[in-house]
């Protein structure tokens, strides 16, 4: 079936790595223009290499001016925005007995505040295009995760945003969904500092996957892109687990 994404524009945060990078490649392969946002220029350049429809943008999404700058850059480069994928995230141990207010605030700033402010800044564009917001949460958000409670809470919070915004934005023609990955093979563990207990919990999680393997980033990206195709037009407020059955059993 022919993609309906040809010539459309998507903004992807966290596009220098993992799921964000695979998502940029999936959209580009379907003929879409991509504004690929991340902190590290070298990683973004790798994402865009050999794919002229991917334009890299270096930005820390927690900077005060970043949300509006990201949207303005997408409009300047491509004339509008049809989809926004909030994939950038920090991950790591957050033991209740040890977490500091500064660490807590950083999790909230990257994983919740920035997606909210970028989505808010994108609303006029998304309204014009009957656009889609895809929040990347986590299958773990439905369970407790000892030692990783703040990360999990931000992901549960993102799903709550998805359901709530779906209702708020439906009258404006904007759909909002979450894709909730289980353990996926990406550099997420190398990109974040984990303590021994966190590593053990991650490994225990991986051992409980019914399909008995890690997912591939492109298997998540496929669903993200599909949610923005026109035949997904009746889907909003949905949370889709892409987790090898982890959250089902
Ligand atoms: N991999 C998994 O097993 C898994 C499981 C469940 C959910 N998820 C979710 O899937 C999404 C993607 O994860 P991933 O595995 O692809 O992780 P990843 O490879 O670590 O990618 C995360 C990206 O976020 C970017 N980022 C972090 N802080 C940022 C900031 N302040 N401003 C701009 N960009 C920032 C990083 O950019 P730099 O590298 O330049 O810092 C990196 O490219 C996340 O939301 C994660 O919570 C992943």
């Amino acid at each position: 079936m022919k993609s309906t994404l040809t010539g459309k524009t998507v903004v992807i945060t966290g596009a220098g790595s993992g799921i964000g990078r695979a998502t940029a490649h999936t959209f580009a392969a379907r003929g879409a223009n991509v504004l690929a946002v991340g902190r590290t220029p070298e990683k973004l350049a790798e994402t865009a290499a050999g794919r002229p429809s991917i334009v890299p943008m270096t930005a820390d999404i927690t900077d005060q001016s970043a949300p509006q700058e990201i949207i303005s850059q997408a409009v300047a480069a491509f004339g509008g925005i049809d989809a926004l994928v909030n994939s950038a995230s920090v991950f790591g141990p957050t033991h209740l007995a040890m977490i500091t207010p500064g660490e807590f605030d950083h999790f909230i700033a990257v994983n919740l505040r920035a997606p909210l402010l970028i989505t808010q800044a994108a609303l006029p564009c998304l309204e014009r295009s009957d656009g889609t917001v895809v929040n990347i949460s986590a299958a773990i958000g439905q369970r407790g995760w000892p030692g990783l409670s703040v990360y999990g809470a931000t992901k549960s919070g993102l799903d709550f945003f998805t359901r709530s915004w779906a209702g708020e934005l439906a009258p404006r023609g904007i759909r909002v969904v979450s894709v909730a990955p289980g353990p996926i093979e990406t550099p997420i563990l190398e990109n974040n500092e984990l303590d021994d207990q966190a590593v053990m919990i991650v490994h225990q999680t991986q051992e409980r996957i019914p399909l008995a393997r890690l997912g591939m980033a492109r298997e998540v990206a496929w669903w993200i892109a599909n949610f923005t195709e026109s035949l997904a037009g009746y889907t909003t407020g949905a949370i889709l687990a892409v987790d090898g059955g982890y959250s089902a059993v």
Side-chain angles (χ1 to χ4, degrees):
M1 198 167 57
K2 200 172 176 309
S3 173
T4 55
L5 299 178
T6 307
K8 298 284 175 72
T9 296
V10 58
V11 173
I12 304 170
T13 67
S17 176
I19 292 168
R21 173 179 287 173
T23 303
H25 291 170
T26 300
F27 273 98
R30 296 190 193 189
N33 301 310
V34 178
L35 185 73
V37 181
R39 276 183 306 195
T40 313
E42 297 77 19
K43 292 184 182 178
L44 294 171
E46 268 181 53
T47 298
R51 294 174 169 90
S53 61
I54 300 180
V55 171
M57 176 181 181
T58 308
D60 183 327
I61 58 170
T62 64
D63 287 348
Q64 203 184 344
S65 56
Q68 196 51 59
E69 284 171 5
I70 290 166
I71 301 314
S72 299
Q73 176 124 353
V75 172
F78 304 121
I81 299 173
D82 299 280
L84 166 65
V85 180
N86 287 310
S87 185
S89 168
V90 281
F91 174 73
T94 49
H95 301 278
L96 176 61
M98 288 186 276
I99 187 160
T100 66
E103 288 165 345
F104 176 79
D105 287 348
H106 186 60
F107 271 92
I108 299 295
V110 180
N111 293 8
L112 281 177
R113 189 171 181 272
L116 180 143
L117 294 177
I118 296 167
T119 306
Q120 184 185 60
L123 288 179
C125 290
L126 293 170
E127 186 164 21
R128 274 193 291 279
S129 63
D130 286 340
T132 313
V133 179
V134 185
N135 290 322
I136 312 306
S137 58
I140 201 67
Q142 309 308 315
R143 293 165 179 266
W145 225 17
L148 291 144
S149 62
V150 177
Y151 172 77
T154 62
K155 292 298 166 178
S156 296
L158 205 52
D159 284 342
F160 203 84
F161 281 173
T162 291
R163 294 191 184 95
S164 308
W165 296 348
E168 272 179 54
L169 300 178
R172 298 175 69 173
I174 302 169
R175 297 182 300 107
V176 189
V177 297
S178 279
V179 170
I184 308 297
E185 210 166 334
T186 74
I188 192 170
L189 299 183
E190 297 85 72
N191 287 347
N192 297 276
E193 282 178 24
L194 298 194
D195 61 17
D196 291 346
Q197 192 186 357
V199 171
M200 192 185 73
I201 291 167
V202 168
H203 286 149
Q204 284 170 349
T205 303
Q206 293 174 353
E207 283 161 14
R208 292 187 49 246
I209 306 167
L211 289 181
R213 67 169 175 88
L214 298 182
M216 291 179 285
R218 67 174 191 273
E219 293 175 304
V220 182
W222 186 80
W223 283 107
I224 295 168
N226 283 357
F227 270 130
T228 71
E229 295 274 7
S230 61
L231 270 178
Y234 196 53
T235 306
T236 195
I239 317 277
L240 179 79
V242 184
D243 65 354
Y246 173 77
S247 56
V249 296

